[in-house]
Amino acid sequence: MRELTSSDGATFVLSVNGFSYYIDENTIDPLWKGQRFPINTWSSWVMQNRQSPIIEDISSDQRISWAVDKSTFIKCMAMVSICSKERIAVGTIGTY
């Protein structure tokens, strides 16, 4: 994914028992692989709203938990929700 989009990072997140679980990532610097975050975080917002936002500046977007992301290399991102046949979002794929 990272190579296809010429991005510095890509991640695969699933919704698991009320948490966003960062299953895998391919990044220039390790971030969240294997970690779980409360359902009210950014990746959960994408799942809950089933939207695919492109954010040019994460520091100016109110949906981003800037406290979590400010110490990373991430400056912009695009996320897409992964939906089941029932249109229930089960995860996200993100690039940054």
Side-chain angles (χ1 to χ4, degrees):
M1 175 69 99
R2 185 176 152 204
E3 292 79 18
L4 291 172
T5 59
S6 298
S7 62
D8 292 331
T11 191
F12 177 66
V13 184
L14 289 179
S15 176
V16 178
N17 296 326
F19 287 89
S20 292
Y21 179 38
Y22 283 70
I23 300 290
D24 201 4
E25 69 182 9
N26 179 345
T27 62
I28 60 172
D29 193 24
L31 294 171
W32 305 294
K33 182 177 179 175
Q35 296 185 49
R36 288 177 168 81
F37 293 93
I39 202 72
N40 62 347
T41 60
W42 167 245
S43 54
S44 298
W45 183 94
V46 174
M47 286 183 253
Q48 291 169 351
N49 292 281
R50 293 188 310 271
Q51 295 182 14
S52 301
I54 296 173
I55 299 175
E56 294 182 30
D57 179 5
I58 66 165
S59 67
S60 64
D61 194 293
Q62 295 176 358
R63 299 169 292 188
I64 302 294
S65 173
W66 183 239
V68 172
D69 297 320
K70 70 179 176 181
S71 64
T72 71
F73 61 86
I74 300 172
K75 304 295 181 236
C76 58
M77 69 171 60
M79 298 285 284
V80 295
S81 63
I82 305 166
C83 293
S84 66
K85 289 182 180 181
E86 295 80 27
R87 297 282 307 146
I88 297 169
V90 296
T92 62
I93 297 172
T95 57
Y96 18 83

